[in-house]
Amino acid sequence: MNRRDLLKAGILAAGLTAAGCSKFDDKTKPSDEKFDIIPKQTATYQFSSPLPFNFALIDEMYEYNKTLQKSKVTSLYNNLPMPYISFLEENFQSNRGENTDIKSFDDFAKYVKYAQKKGFEFFYVLNSPKPFSEETFKKHEKDFYNLLDQLHNIGCNNIKVANSQVVDIIRAYKHNFNITLSTSFEFRNIPQYQNMLYTAKSIKSINTATDNNHNFRFLKNLRKEFPTTPIELIVNERCIYGCPGRIPHASTFFCIWDCYGLLKKMGHIAYFCKCNYVFPWDLEYYSAIGINHFKLISFPLRAKFDSIFFLRNYIDCVEKGIDNMTVNDFFSGIYDIHDIRTKNDVKLSEIKDLFPDIRHFVKFGSKCADICGVECRYCFECAEKLKKTGIFE
């Protein structure tokens, strides 16, 4: 048999095997079992909040914690604000507002140390996803390493990061920092986390992208893959599902895509329904799959806020329920939405069942990326039902 005949025979044999002589190993198949979650709180809900540059507000958080049964505020996060941190020229960390009271690292550190004495764990936020050149890093290298030294000196050993370059630089430096993968990494699949965590052992916790807040198959498998790694979700960020500007939003204030421009096209209620909020009454679904860490963002931005109303209102709903909350207080007090107002003081309990239901996402949330707005218009239908109540101005 010549070479050509041998090749033909090999190809034919391979084809027959593929057609029916070989079966896919059942052990390698994805599970076909019906996916469901029975809601149940399995541990104390641990909340993370921005660190206020205000001793009285830190005291308020500390005293508030004493009143809680289901929840605790366990960690605080922040970074040096503008204009002081301008010497880094928007590299390495996100710009989250200005605070002219912070004129030095010591001005910042006094609040960190005070919060630590009150029992709060502190995370410094170096979570700009913006890539940088070697030339840029060399320009800021001395200041960057000085910042790491200063953080180490005040006992801050936790850093949130959203750029693999920063991960590698921190890991190679002399201090042993615990690294959190920030939301701003915008990882959307399990292999991204596998590849990061299995090559960087200093990564100790995960903050998932908000677009995955309702993807329960993803979250359950992430928990299965990393059973002891804290996984944290942002619950109240006002950014629409599928925002094309997530990376520049976390990188710079210059020329960023205006996702709020969609409000004019969609309307405020539809926009609300399309945000991947985690409602306070839904935490049991996350807890049931082993996720009990949740992150709140502040209003105004974390560089300078003078009230913890966003934290109190959300956690009060978790602790006490929603019977005494109005729709207006819910929108403005938890999500900083002042564009949606009811004509009267309507109770949240009267319309809550018209909001997007978490049970829909338990069933279909893993498909949102493929079918949203095309095969599925569930969230838009929820918005239409809310509009038809006639209670909104």
Side-chain angles (χ1 to χ4, degrees):
M1 187 180 288
N2 60 32
R3 182 172 180 274
R4 185 171 181 178
D5 290 335
L6 284 169
L7 285 171
K8 283 183 178 179
I11 292 170
L12 179 61
L16 288 171
T17 300
C21 297
S22 174
K23 288 188 177 181
F24 203 79
D25 186 346
D26 285 342
K27 293 180 180 179
T28 67
K29 285 184 179 180
S31 173
D32 290 327
E33 65 180 282
K34 183 179 178 182
F35 186 82
D36 196 15
I37 295 175
I38 299 173
K40 178 183 178 181
Q41 182 171 4
T42 58
T44 300
Y45 301 136
Q46 297 188 48
F47 283 92
S48 176
S49 167
L51 168 75
F53 301 136
N54 182 312
F55 295 122
L57 291 186
I58 297 172
D59 285 339
E60 187 178 343
M61 286 183 178
Y62 175 76
E63 293 300 326
Y64 180 59
N65 256 348
K66 296 178 181 179
T67 70
L68 303 177
Q69 301 298 319
K70 299 179 180 180
S71 318
K72 285 288 182 290
V73 182
T74 56
S75 63
L76 305 177
Y77 63 93
N78 215 320
N79 51 266
L80 287 161
M82 295 289 280
Y84 173 69
I85 200 62
S86 59
F87 57 82
L88 287 182
E89 297 178 344
E90 289 194 326
N91 290 293
F92 316 122
Q93 66 175 51
S94 297
N95 181 350
R96 287 296 178 261
E98 295 187 2
N99 189 329
T100 56
D101 294 332
I102 306 297
K103 297 180 173 66
S104 67
F105 184 85
D106 288 341
D107 288 339
F108 170 84
K110 64 185 180 183
Y111 298 107
V112 175
K113 290 187 282 189
Y114 189 78
Q116 289 170 329
K117 288 179 181 178
K118 290 290 184 179
F120 295 106
E121 193 170 13
F122 178 72
F123 289 75
Y124 191 85
V125 187
L126 280 171
N127 71 333
S128 171
K130 181 171 68 173
F132 47 88
S133 66
E134 183 178 5
E135 181 182 10
T136 297
F137 181 70
K138 291 296 182 183
K139 178 180 178 180
H140 299 292
E141 181 177 12
K142 183 178 179 180
D143 287 330
F144 184 79
Y145 286 139
N146 183 52
L147 174 59
L148 294 183
D149 289 339
Q150 289 175 311
L151 291 171
H152 173 76
N153 291 340
I154 63 169
C156 171
N157 297 311
N158 303 303
I159 301 180
K160 291 178 183 274
V161 179
N163 180 317
S164 59
Q165 294 172 294
V166 177
V167 172
D168 287 341
I169 291 168
I170 292 175
R171 288 173 62 216
Y173 197 50
K174 59 186 177 181
H175 306 304
N176 294 319
F177 289 104
N178 298 322
I179 296 174
T180 293
L181 296 185
S182 169
T183 297
S184 296
F185 256 118
E186 292 298 316
F187 284 171
R188 305 300 172 85
N189 58 64
I190 301 290
Q192 287 175 307
Y193 287 104
Q194 290 171 327
N195 294 335
M196 280 295 294
L197 271 75
Y198 291 148
T199 56
K201 299 301 182 183
S202 54
I203 296 172
K204 302 300 184 183
S205 57
I206 294 169
N207 291 178
T208 57
T210 56
D211 272 10
N212 278 328
N213 275 2
H214 293 162
N215 188 343
F216 280 91
R217 281 187 182 270
F218 168 84
L219 294 172
K220 186 175 182 180
N221 281 323
L222 189 65
R223 166 50 71 224
K224 182 179 180 180
E225 180 69 358
F226 304 107
T228 62
T229 303
I231 297 172
E232 183 176 275
L233 279 65
I234 297 181
V235 298
N236 68 330
E237 185 171 69
R238 193 183 180 187
C239 194
I240 196 167
Y241 176 76
C243 171
R246 292 286 296 177
I247 296 297
H249 284 172
S251 303
T252 179
F253 275 173
F254 172 72
C255 196
I256 57 174
W257 190 78
D258 180 18
C259 60
Y260 292 149
L262 287 173
L263 284 169
K264 296 177 182 177
K265 181 177 181 180
M266 298 173 59
H268 297 297
I269 296 176
Y271 187 93
F272 168 79
C273 290
K274 283 288 294 170
C275 289
N276 267 22
Y277 294 126
V278 175
F279 296 135
W281 51 85
D282 290 333
L283 296 193
E284 289 182 335
Y285 284 86
Y286 297 91
S287 186
I289 60 173
I291 294 176
N292 291 289
H293 288 76
F294 304 99
K295 175 182 174 181
L296 288 155
I297 63 170
S298 63
F299 309 106
L301 295 173
R302 63 175 180 253
K304 194 170 187 177
F305 60 97
D306 57 7
S307 170
I308 62 167
F309 71 92
F310 62 92
L311 181 150
R312 280 185 171 274
N313 288 335
Y314 191 96
I315 298 179
D316 277 353
C317 283
V318 176
E319 294 281 321
K320 304 173 185 176
I322 63 169
D323 289 345
N324 296 319
M325 177 166 277
T326 66
V327 175
N328 290 338
D329 287 342
F330 175 75
F331 283 127
S332 62
I334 293 179
Y335 301 104
D336 195 40
I337 301 173
H338 304 278
D339 309 307
I340 303 175
R341 306 293 296 178
T342 59
K343 296 175 181 176
N344 301 302
D345 240 4
V346 180
K347 294 290 186 182
L348 179 60
S349 57
E350 296 178 46
I351 65 166
K352 169 183 134 338
D353 290 343
L354 299 180
F355 289 176
D357 192 320
I358 200 69
R359 291 172 296 183
H360 171 87
F361 299 109
V362 169
K363 188 173 182 180
F364 299 111
S366 60
K367 299 180 179 181
C368 287
D370 302 323
I371 66 176
C372 181
V374 183
E375 295 178 35
C376 177
R377 295 189 60 82
Y378 171 72
C379 294
F380 294 103
E381 291 166 3
C382 291
E384 288 303 312
K385 290 177 182 177
L386 284 165
K387 292 177 188 175
K388 287 178 181 179
T389 62
I391 67 171
F392 297 101
E393 293 179 346

